[in-house]
Amino acid sequence: MQGEFKIAVDGSVLEFTDDPVLSVGSVDQNLNAIEAVFDLENARLVAKAFSGAKKQIAIKDAMSDQPILLKATGSTVAFNSMLSKCLKDG
């Protein structure tokens, strides 16, 4: 799948060194999901940005006509876990 995939955290757009690999699939009736696979460097970038998010995360997913807006609440715990895993494996 090709298209524009962007993530912004608290108004700052993340700059990826390589575009993530995107795939789309059906997860239920009339419901699709998109999956983005990052290389290790970009996974670290996303994890650090999400763990430091204060207000909002916006994701332009290459499929929707508008970005998905998420509150930053809860992202710190989940992505600190992801970040520690990335740093340990890298």
Side-chain angles (χ1 to χ4, degrees), residues 47-63:
K48 286 180 182 178
F50 276 38
S51 69
K54 302 291 184 220
K55 293 183 181 182
Q56 188 177 63
I57 297 167
I59 302 172
K60 176 92 173 99
D61 67 6
M63 187 169 58

Side-chain angles (χ1 to χ4, degrees), residues 34-50:
I34 204 165
E35 177 183 61
V37 178
F38 298 96
D39 62 16
L40 184 58
E41 182 178 342
N42 288 313
R44 286 181 176 161
L45 173 69
V46 171
K48 286 180 182 178
F50 276 38

Side-chain angles (χ1 to χ4, degrees), residues 15-48:
E15 297 291 332
F16 301 122
T17 55
D18 281 319
D19 290 332
V21 176
L22 303 177
S23 61
V24 66
S26 177
V27 293
D28 200 2
Q29 286 185 328
N30 301 318
L31 184 61
N32 290 325
I34 204 165
E35 177 183 61
V37 178
F38 298 96
D39 62 16
L40 184 58
E41 182 178 342
N42 288 313
R44 286 181 176 161
L45 173 69
V46 171
K48 286 180 182 178

Side-chain angles (χ1 to χ4, degrees), residues 74-90:
S75 65
T76 301
V77 173
F79 279 90
N80 275 338
S81 175
M82 181 180 160
L83 179 61
S84 67
K85 175 77 171 140
C86 287
L87 294 175
K88 185 176 112 183
D89 291 347

